[in-house]
Amino acid sequence: MRGISSVPSYVVMQPTTLCNLDCSYCYLPLRADDRRMSPAVARAVAADVNRWAGQQRFSVVWHGGEPMAAGREQLARLMAPFAPGVEHHMQTNATLIDDAWCDFFREQQVRVSVSVDGPEQDNQARRDRGGHGRYQIIMKGIEALRRNGLTFAALCVVSDPGPGVATRLYEFFLELGCDVLGINIEEREGVNTRENRHDAGAVRAFWSELTAAWRIAPRIHVREIEWTLRYVAAVLDGTTSDLLPRQLDPIPTIGYDGSVVLLSPELAGFNDGRYGDFSSGNVLTTPLADLLLAPQRTRWVAEFVEGVEACRATCPYFGFCGGGHAANRYFEHGRFDGTETEHCHNSKINLLEGVLEHVSRA
């Protein structure tokens, strides 16, 4: 895995910066502002996406803010330029989902992923601007998905990976009915400056406990566990060189205004005295495919590639994680060519070690 591919496997689209919640761990800087994407931006992106989708499986991920805050009519206009073969995914807090939205998801063939952090006691961070918990509203939206027979994924943020938490979460998501689950240990990034350093033993124990709970009833695809087991199997088979892609996926994030930020959606909307606004250009003036031809022209991207190579040279876990994430490096170290971050420890190193601890005891 060297350098950055000129063809992505998906793009992230920001139909609006607005979010109707104000979660305490949120990284987004503009979530109180309603800045909306124009159809012209969507048409410009679709011009290249439709061509890529004719050659490979391709996804458009609608992400905010809260993408549903843009409204059904606006989202339909933004989705219209994309060819039928393009897959649409949406990450949502579920508070606005009702039967009409479920009809929209079915008509537009949108795959929904819901942000929910487990039972009510684990959802204290998910509040509105008045400080009120939104758990019951979130669950009402999820019930609408189930009532309408729509499958959905779930994304859970864990702020305190203590004893018993993993089992409680897994049992909750089993009952919830999602088919895929992603677990993010809270990250210090964007406007969220809360400390994310945890005792390594506690984090390993969390992942080991989650693996044990999953093995009892493996009815959900748990993203982190499946990643880890796939890597372990490749180590045993001697096929680890086949796991990582040949080049990094550029993951272009298209801002509401057409600006393009590569590699880390979490950097969109920020500015830095050294790196500027992190943008590689704008699709309203330059085709997306052209912006991806030489991404290292953007200073911070070149620095990040140097950081990936530093990880390759120094970290025994490189074959598992592939060099970490740009946003974690920046928001933890203030630059992109560093190596280990707290995110590495919480969600890569101790993930692998925790799953292996469970396997060694099983």
Side-chain angles (χ1 to χ4, degrees):
M1 187 182 71
R2 296 185 183 275
I4 300 173
S5 174
S6 61
V7 178
S9 61
Y10 65 102
V11 299
V12 179
M13 300 281 282
Q14 187 181 51
T16 177
T17 58
L18 180 66
C19 187
N20 59 329
L21 297 186
D22 191 27
C23 302
S24 59
Y25 52 60
C26 185
Y27 61 85
L28 293 167
L30 302 173
R31 62 184 183 271
D33 299 335
D34 190 5
R35 305 182 186 185
R36 298 195 178 193
M37 179 179 284
S38 70
V41 171
R43 288 193 297 270
V45 175
D48 286 309
V49 165
N50 291 343
R51 176 168 53 84
W52 292 327
Q55 303 164 357
Q56 64 183 53
R57 182 177 179 181
F58 202 94
S59 299
V60 174
V61 179
W62 299 91
H63 201 292
E66 168 51 53
M68 291 176 60
R72 289 190 295 277
E73 291 184 3
Q74 175 69 358
L75 281 170
R77 285 193 289 269
L78 296 177
M79 291 178 180
F82 294 96
V86 175
E87 299 178 12
H88 291 277
H89 299 254
M90 183 177 294
Q91 188 66 45
T92 174
N93 61 36
T95 58
L96 301 176
I97 297 177
D98 57 15
D99 290 338
W101 271 106
C102 289
D103 290 340
F104 175 86
F105 296 146
R106 187 178 293 107
E107 291 164 4
Q108 299 290 337
Q109 298 183 6
V110 177
R111 166 73 174 174
V112 176
S113 178
V114 173
S115 298
V116 59
D117 298 337
E120 189 164 11
Q121 69 188 91
D122 298 303
N123 269 266
Q124 298 308 303
R126 304 189 64 73
R127 296 178 174 273
D128 62 19
R129 289 184 175 78
H132 305 107
R134 299 284 85 185
Y135 177 75
Q136 298 300 331
I137 305 298
I138 293 169
M139 294 303 293
K140 185 177 178 181
I142 293 172
E143 175 53 35
L145 291 172
R146 294 190 299 207
R147 183 172 62 248
N148 284 274
L150 296 177
T151 58
F152 61 96
L155 184 63
C156 169
V157 174
V158 176
S159 299
D160 181 16
V165 172
T167 300
R168 181 171 71 240
L169 290 178
Y170 190 73
E171 291 174 351
F172 169 84
F173 286 106
L174 271 179
E175 185 175 349
L176 193 71
C178 61
D179 60 349
V180 178
L181 172 63
I183 301 284
N184 289 344
I185 293 183
E186 183 179 337
E187 301 170 43
R188 179 158 58 90
E189 59 186 6
V191 297
N192 177 26
T193 59
R194 304 196 316 184
E195 182 57 61
N196 67 330
R197 180 173 298 178
H198 302 285
D199 175 76
V203 178
R204 287 196 301 271
F206 170 84
W207 291 117
S208 179
E209 181 184 321
L210 182 66
T211 306
W214 172 78
R215 286 193 66 202
I216 293 171
R219 297 196 299 273
I220 299 175
H221 294 283
V222 181
R223 181 183 62 184
E224 288 71 22
I225 293 175
E226 293 193 357
W227 283 350
T228 307
L229 294 179
R230 191 178 303 122
Y231 175 73
V232 171
V235 169
L236 294 174
D237 293 341
T239 58
T240 54
S241 61
D242 297 332
L243 282 179
L244 294 177
R246 297 300 179 190
Q247 293 179 300
L248 287 163
D249 194 315
I251 318 175
T253 295
I254 317 302
Y256 73 94
D257 59 353
S259 60
V260 179
V261 174
L262 304 181
L263 297 166
S264 282
E266 298 85 356
L267 293 170
F270 288 92
N271 281 273
D272 182 274
R274 290 164 297 168
Y275 306 112
D277 64 359
F278 301 104
S279 171
S280 293
N282 193 296
V283 296
L284 292 177
T285 57
T286 307
L288 179 59
D290 290 351
L291 295 176
L292 298 181
L293 287 177
Q296 285 88 335
R297 286 180 303 195
T298 304
R299 177 184 170 188
W300 74 265
V301 174
E303 189 176 289
F304 171 70
V305 172
E306 293 176 9
V308 171
E309 292 306 309
C311 285
R312 186 196 309 277
T314 61
C315 183
Y317 296 89
F318 182 84
F320 177 57
C321 81
H325 300 297
N328 298 119
R329 294 169 189 257
Y330 173 73
F331 288 114
E332 290 193 32
H333 298 318
R335 55 186 303 114
F336 294 93
D337 55 2
T339 53
E340 288 187 19
T341 64
E342 291 304 323
H343 175 70
C344 292
H345 291 284
N346 292 334
S347 298
K348 300 295 183 181
I349 296 171
N350 289 315
L351 165 62
L352 177 58
E353 297 291 343
V355 173
L356 289 175
E357 280 186 10
H358 171 76
V359 171
S360 69
R361 294 195 304 266

